[in-house]
């Protein structure tokens, strides 16, 4: 498939996906969702891809939101379908069996903040700004923002951001726990790659089980998911290798089996 709104680059088994509509501050339209969906299908099954970075083209924005021009005339029914489409693609990111990191290089607003929050963790450049400004349009977030923001930064702070529509700078996002690290703009991708290179050395099934269990942290069955994911690791060759290597005082060699 040829991508008109994404740029893809793979290096050291890290796929970098760049949302590429800089003239519209990388706003998420139907094409971006279709293309992201397609890339994610490949991420799930392609053994050459061990992890993913999602970022935005240009220096100004990660993603400045859903494409407002596309939905301004929508009915309630259309809006439900639009929200469901966004949710589905973002769930596909969140539930991916491989780490997906958002590298936020500028505005992450509305659907852009929601996209970053669907990723497994976030790294921001010093010029990043986060916000859910939907109230300025007479709207609320529709791609999971009210839920994920509340989970990530707590209800009080989320309520303030959701209701005021105000943006926060990278340093505040770090203080709130919305992002894990803040870097100079030029070091953003390198920081993500250095963390991912550590993760790449671990057993892939253990990584996917971490993601599965942590994703259920705010459900009634999170502990049950953890127990099952923990037990599932015992079926893997990598667990045998990891525990044997520890006892034999050598480095494990994981194969993903
Ligand atoms: N949807 C569609 N187009 C968008 C967009 C969005 N969410 N965000 C930015 N754009 C477009 C602008 O319309 C403009 O296009 P044009 O040059 O054809 O007119 C272009 O991107 C550049 O944006 P501009 O507003 O001129 O840049 P700025 O530096 O003055 O302001 C923002 C930057 C991010 C503050 C401003 O673009 C903005 O408020 N965007 C909307 C944010 C938002 O409400 N997101 C949630 C949507 S639900």
């Amino acid at each position: 498939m040829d991508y008109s709104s994404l740029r893809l680059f793979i290096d050291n088994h890290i796929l970098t996906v760049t949302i590429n509509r800089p003239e519209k501050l990388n706003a998420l339209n139907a094409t971006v969702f279709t293309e992201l969906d397609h890339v994610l299908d490949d991420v799930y099954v392609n053994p050459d891809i061990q992890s993913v970075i999602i970022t935005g083209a240009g220096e100004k924005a990660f993603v400045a939101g859903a494409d407002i021009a596309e939905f301004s005339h929508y009915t309630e029914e259309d809006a439900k379908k639009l929200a469901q489409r966004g949710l589905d693609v973002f769930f596909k990111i969140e539930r991916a069996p491989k780490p997906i990191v958002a590298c936020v290089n500028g505005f992450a607003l509305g659907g852009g903040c929601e996209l970053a929050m669907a990723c497994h963790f976030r790294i921001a450049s010093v010029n990043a700004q986060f916000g859910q400004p939907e109230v300025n349009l007479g709207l609320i977030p529709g791609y999971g923002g009210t839920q994920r923001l509340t989970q990530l930064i707590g209800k009080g702070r989320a309520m303030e951001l959701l209701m005021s529509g105000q943006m926060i700078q990278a340093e505040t996002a770090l203080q709130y726990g919305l992002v894990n690290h803040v870097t100079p703009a030029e070091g953003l991708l390198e920081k993500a790659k250095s963390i991912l290179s550590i993760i790449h050395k671990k057993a892939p099934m253990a990584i996917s089980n971490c993601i599965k269990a942590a994703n259920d942290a705010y459900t009634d069955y999170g502990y049950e998911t953890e127990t099952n994911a923990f037990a599932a690791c015992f079926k893997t060759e990598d667990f045998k290798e990891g525990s044997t290597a520890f006892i034999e005082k050598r480095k494990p060699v994981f194969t993903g089996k």
Side-chain angles (χ1 to χ4, degrees), residues 21-28 60 64-71 107 109-111 132-134 136-137 139-140 167:
R21 301 184 71 212
E23 70 290 351
K24 294 291 177 191
L25 304 188
N26 305 320
L28 303 172
K60 215 169 151 183
D67 193 320
I68 300 166
E70 200 176 60
F71 64 69
F107 292 115
L109 302 177
Q132 297 290 164
E134 288 87 347
N136 297 330
L137 305 169
L139 279 181
I140 70 164
M167 294 185 216

Short mmCIF file of all heavy atoms in Angstrom, two decimals, residues 21-28 60 64-71 107 109-111 132-134 136-137 139-140 167, ligand 1:
data_model
loop_
_atom_site.label_atom_id
_atom_site.label_comp_id
_atom_site.label_asym_id
_atom_site.label_seq_id
_atom_site.Cartn_x
_atom_site.Cartn_y
_atom_site.Cartn_z
N ARG A 21 1.08 15.38 7.48
CA ARG A 21 0.26 16.43 6.88
C ARG A 21 0.67 17.77 7.52
O ARG A 21 -0.16 18.45 8.15
CB ARG A 21 -1.23 16.20 7.17
CG ARG A 21 -1.82 14.89 6.69
CD ARG A 21 -3.32 14.87 6.99
NE ARG A 21 -4.07 15.76 6.17
CZ ARG A 21 -5.19 16.39 6.57
NH1 ARG A 21 -5.67 16.21 7.80
NH2 ARG A 21 -5.84 17.21 5.76
N PRO A 22 1.95 18.13 7.41
CA PRO A 22 2.42 19.29 8.18
C PRO A 22 1.66 20.57 7.87
O PRO A 22 1.52 21.43 8.74
CB PRO A 22 3.90 19.40 7.79
CG PRO A 22 4.06 18.59 6.56
CD PRO A 22 3.00 17.54 6.57
N GLU A 23 1.13 20.68 6.62
CA GLU A 23 0.41 21.91 6.26
C GLU A 23 -0.90 22.04 7.05
O GLU A 23 -1.45 23.12 7.19
CB GLU A 23 0.17 21.98 4.74
CG GLU A 23 -0.84 21.00 4.15
CD GLU A 23 -0.41 19.51 4.14
OE1 GLU A 23 0.78 19.23 4.45
OE2 GLU A 23 -1.26 18.66 3.85
N LYS A 24 -1.41 20.93 7.58
CA LYS A 24 -2.61 20.94 8.44
C LYS A 24 -2.24 20.52 9.86
O LYS A 24 -3.06 19.97 10.61
CB LYS A 24 -3.67 19.99 7.87
CG LYS A 24 -4.23 20.42 6.52
CD LYS A 24 -5.08 21.67 6.65
CE LYS A 24 -5.57 22.14 5.28
NZ LYS A 24 -6.18 23.48 5.34
N LEU A 25 -1.01 20.77 10.23
CA LEU A 25 -0.50 20.40 11.56
C LEU A 25 -0.81 18.94 11.90
O LEU A 25 -1.13 18.61 13.04
CB LEU A 25 -1.02 21.36 12.63
CG LEU A 25 -0.71 22.86 12.39
CD1 LEU A 25 -1.10 23.69 13.61
CD2 LEU A 25 0.74 23.10 12.07
N ASN A 26 -0.75 18.11 10.86
CA ASN A 26 -0.90 16.64 10.99
C ASN A 26 -2.26 16.22 11.55
O ASN A 26 -2.38 15.16 12.19
CB ASN A 26 0.25 16.05 11.83
CG ASN A 26 1.60 16.43 11.26
OD1 ASN A 26 1.77 16.42 10.03
ND2 ASN A 26 2.55 16.80 12.10
N ALA A 27 -3.29 17.06 11.31
CA ALA A 27 -4.64 16.73 11.79
C ALA A 27 -5.08 15.37 11.25
O ALA A 27 -4.77 14.99 10.12
CB ALA A 27 -5.62 17.82 11.35
N LEU A 28 -5.81 14.65 12.10
CA LEU A 28 -6.20 13.26 11.78
C LEU A 28 -7.47 13.26 10.94
O LEU A 28 -8.56 13.56 11.46
CB LEU A 28 -6.47 12.49 13.09
CG LEU A 28 -5.32 12.44 14.10
CD1 LEU A 28 -5.79 11.82 15.40
CD2 LEU A 28 -4.13 11.65 13.53
N LYS A 60 6.33 21.93 14.13
CA LYS A 60 5.29 22.65 14.89
C LYS A 60 4.35 21.73 15.66
O LYS A 60 3.89 22.09 16.74
CB LYS A 60 4.49 23.48 13.89
CG LYS A 60 4.04 24.79 14.45
CD LYS A 60 3.50 25.68 13.37
CE LYS A 60 2.46 26.59 13.96
NZ LYS A 60 1.84 27.44 12.94
N ALA A 64 -2.37 18.18 15.67
CA ALA A 64 -3.18 19.26 16.27
C ALA A 64 -4.66 18.90 16.40
O ALA A 64 -5.50 19.78 16.55
CB ALA A 64 -3.02 20.55 15.46
N GLY A 65 -4.97 17.60 16.32
CA GLY A 65 -6.35 17.18 16.58
C GLY A 65 -6.96 16.42 15.44
O GLY A 65 -6.31 16.18 14.41
N ALA A 66 -8.20 16.04 15.66
CA ALA A 66 -8.98 15.48 14.56
C ALA A 66 -9.18 16.60 13.54
O ALA A 66 -9.15 17.78 13.89
CB ALA A 66 -10.33 15.00 15.08
N ASP A 67 -9.36 16.23 12.27
CA ASP A 67 -9.51 17.23 11.22
C ASP A 67 -10.89 17.87 11.32
O ASP A 67 -11.90 17.27 10.93
CB ASP A 67 -9.31 16.57 9.85
CG ASP A 67 -9.15 17.62 8.76
OD1 ASP A 67 -9.88 18.64 8.79
OD2 ASP A 67 -8.30 17.42 7.87
N ILE A 68 -10.90 19.10 11.83
CA ILE A 68 -12.18 19.78 12.12
C ILE A 68 -12.99 19.99 10.84
O ILE A 68 -14.21 19.83 10.84
CB ILE A 68 -11.91 21.13 12.83
CG1 ILE A 68 -11.16 20.89 14.15
CG2 ILE A 68 -13.21 21.89 13.09
CD1 ILE A 68 -10.56 22.15 14.77
N ALA A 69 -12.30 20.30 9.73
CA ALA A 69 -13.00 20.56 8.47
C ALA A 69 -13.80 19.33 8.03
O ALA A 69 -14.86 19.45 7.39
CB ALA A 69 -11.99 20.94 7.39
N GLU A 70 -13.31 18.15 8.39
CA GLU A 70 -13.93 16.92 7.92
C GLU A 70 -15.27 16.63 8.62
O GLU A 70 -16.15 16.04 8.05
CB GLU A 70 -12.95 15.76 8.16
CG GLU A 70 -13.23 14.54 7.32
CD GLU A 70 -12.15 13.49 7.55
OE1 GLU A 70 -11.97 13.04 8.70
OE2 GLU A 70 -11.49 13.13 6.58
N PHE A 71 -15.39 17.06 9.89
CA PHE A 71 -16.61 16.64 10.64
C PHE A 71 -17.55 17.79 11.00
O PHE A 71 -18.53 17.57 11.70
CB PHE A 71 -16.23 15.81 11.87
CG PHE A 71 -15.44 16.54 12.93
CD1 PHE A 71 -16.01 17.54 13.69
CD2 PHE A 71 -14.12 16.19 13.19
CE1 PHE A 71 -15.29 18.20 14.68
CE2 PHE A 71 -13.38 16.85 14.17
CZ PHE A 71 -13.98 17.86 14.92
N PHE A 107 2.57 20.63 19.06
CA PHE A 107 1.19 20.52 19.55
C PHE A 107 0.69 19.07 19.56
O PHE A 107 0.78 18.37 18.55
CB PHE A 107 0.24 21.32 18.65
CG PHE A 107 0.43 22.80 18.71
CD1 PHE A 107 0.86 23.51 17.60
CD2 PHE A 107 0.15 23.51 19.87
CE1 PHE A 107 1.03 24.89 17.64
CE2 PHE A 107 0.31 24.89 19.93
CZ PHE A 107 0.76 25.58 18.82
N LEU A 109 -2.83 18.11 20.48
CA LEU A 109 -4.11 18.67 20.91
C LEU A 109 -5.26 17.76 20.49
O LEU A 109 -5.19 17.11 19.43
CB LEU A 109 -4.32 20.05 20.27
CG LEU A 109 -3.23 21.08 20.56
CD1 LEU A 109 -3.51 22.38 19.81
CD2 LEU A 109 -3.13 21.34 22.06
N GLY A 110 -6.32 17.73 21.28
CA GLY A 110 -7.49 16.95 20.93
C GLY A 110 -7.12 15.52 20.58
O GLY A 110 -6.48 14.82 21.37
N GLY A 111 -7.47 15.10 19.36
CA GLY A 111 -7.16 13.74 18.91
C GLY A 111 -5.66 13.46 18.93
O GLY A 111 -5.25 12.30 19.01
N GLN A 132 -6.67 19.31 25.55
CA GLN A 132 -7.94 18.79 24.99
C GLN A 132 -8.84 20.01 24.81
O GLN A 132 -9.70 20.29 25.66
CB GLN A 132 -8.56 17.78 25.96
CG GLN A 132 -7.74 16.53 26.20
CD GLN A 132 -7.63 15.55 25.04
OE1 GLN A 132 -6.79 14.69 25.04
NE2 GLN A 132 -8.47 15.68 24.01
N PRO A 133 -8.65 20.74 23.69
CA PRO A 133 -9.38 22.00 23.52
C PRO A 133 -10.77 21.85 22.90
O PRO A 133 -11.35 22.83 22.42
CB PRO A 133 -8.46 22.78 22.57
CG PRO A 133 -7.80 21.72 21.74
CD PRO A 133 -7.71 20.48 22.59
N GLU A 134 -11.33 20.63 22.92
CA GLU A 134 -12.61 20.40 22.24
C GLU A 134 -13.71 21.32 22.73
O GLU A 134 -14.61 21.69 21.98
CB GLU A 134 -13.05 18.93 22.40
CG GLU A 134 -12.23 17.93 21.58
CD GLU A 134 -10.98 17.43 22.28
OE1 GLU A 134 -10.59 18.02 23.30
OE2 GLU A 134 -10.39 16.45 21.78
N ASN A 136 -13.66 24.30 23.23
CA ASN A 136 -13.66 25.55 22.46
C ASN A 136 -14.53 25.44 21.21
O ASN A 136 -14.91 26.44 20.61
CB ASN A 136 -12.23 25.93 22.04
CG ASN A 136 -11.36 26.21 23.24
OD1 ASN A 136 -11.85 26.67 24.27
ND2 ASN A 136 -10.06 25.94 23.12
N LEU A 137 -14.78 24.19 20.79
CA LEU A 137 -15.62 23.95 19.60
C LEU A 137 -17.02 23.52 20.01
O LEU A 137 -17.83 23.12 19.15
CB LEU A 137 -15.00 22.84 18.73
CG LEU A 137 -13.56 23.01 18.28
CD1 LEU A 137 -13.03 21.72 17.67
CD2 LEU A 137 -13.46 24.14 17.26
N LEU A 139 -17.47 20.88 21.94
CA LEU A 139 -17.36 19.41 21.89
C LEU A 139 -16.66 18.87 23.12
O LEU A 139 -16.16 19.64 23.95
CB LEU A 139 -16.49 19.02 20.69
CG LEU A 139 -17.10 18.97 19.31
CD1 LEU A 139 -16.03 18.52 18.31
CD2 LEU A 139 -18.27 17.99 19.27
N ILE A 140 -16.57 17.55 23.19
CA ILE A 140 -15.69 16.91 24.16
C ILE A 140 -14.81 15.92 23.38
O ILE A 140 -15.10 15.61 22.22
CB ILE A 140 -16.48 16.17 25.28
CG1 ILE A 140 -17.18 14.92 24.75
CG2 ILE A 140 -17.48 17.12 25.96
CD1 ILE A 140 -17.64 13.97 25.86
N MET A 167 -3.94 24.52 27.36
CA MET A 167 -2.78 23.68 27.03
C MET A 167 -1.80 23.68 28.18
O MET A 167 -1.71 24.65 28.92
CB MET A 167 -2.06 24.24 25.81
CG MET A 167 -2.86 24.20 24.54
SD MET A 167 -1.77 24.77 23.20
CE MET A 167 -2.94 25.64 22.19
N1 LIG B 1 -8.19 20.29 11.95
C1 LIG B 1 -8.06 20.78 10.71
N2 LIG B 1 -7.14 21.69 10.35
C2 LIG B 1 -6.28 22.12 11.29
C3 LIG B 1 -6.35 21.65 12.62
C4 LIG B 1 -7.35 20.69 12.94
N3 LIG B 1 -7.47 20.17 14.16
N4 LIG B 1 -5.39 22.27 13.34
C5 LIG B 1 -4.75 23.08 12.49
N5 LIG B 1 -5.29 23.00 11.26
C6 LIG B 1 -4.88 23.70 10.04
C7 LIG B 1 -5.35 25.17 10.04
O1 LIG B 1 -6.67 25.25 9.62
C8 LIG B 1 -4.36 25.77 9.07
O2 LIG B 1 -4.75 25.43 7.76
P1 LIG B 1 -4.79 26.58 6.60
O3 LIG B 1 -3.37 27.08 6.51
O4 LIG B 1 -5.24 25.84 5.37
O5 LIG B 1 -5.72 27.63 7.08
C9 LIG B 1 -3.07 25.02 9.35
O6 LIG B 1 -3.47 23.80 9.98
C10 LIG B 1 -2.14 25.74 10.29
O7 LIG B 1 -2.85 26.05 11.47
P2 LIG B 1 -2.94 27.55 12.08
O8 LIG B 1 -4.18 27.61 12.91
O9 LIG B 1 -2.82 28.56 11.00
O10 LIG B 1 -1.63 27.58 12.98
P3 LIG B 1 -1.39 28.47 14.28
O11 LIG B 1 0.05 28.34 14.61
O12 LIG B 1 -1.93 29.83 14.10
O13 LIG B 1 -2.25 27.77 15.44
C11 LIG B 1 -3.10 25.87 16.71
C12 LIG B 1 -1.92 26.47 15.88
C13 LIG B 1 -2.76 24.43 16.99
C14 LIG B 1 -3.22 26.67 18.04
C15 LIG B 1 -4.41 26.01 15.90
O14 LIG B 1 -4.18 25.47 14.60
C16 LIG B 1 -5.57 25.28 16.51
O15 LIG B 1 -6.15 25.75 17.47
N6 LIG B 1 -5.95 24.09 15.93
C17 LIG B 1 -7.09 23.33 16.36
C18 LIG B 1 -6.80 22.60 17.64
C19 LIG B 1 -8.04 21.85 18.08
O16 LIG B 1 -9.07 22.42 18.40
N7 LIG B 1 -7.94 20.52 18.11
C20 LIG B 1 -9.00 19.68 18.53
C21 LIG B 1 -9.86 19.31 17.38
S1 LIG B 1 -11.26 18.31 17.88
#
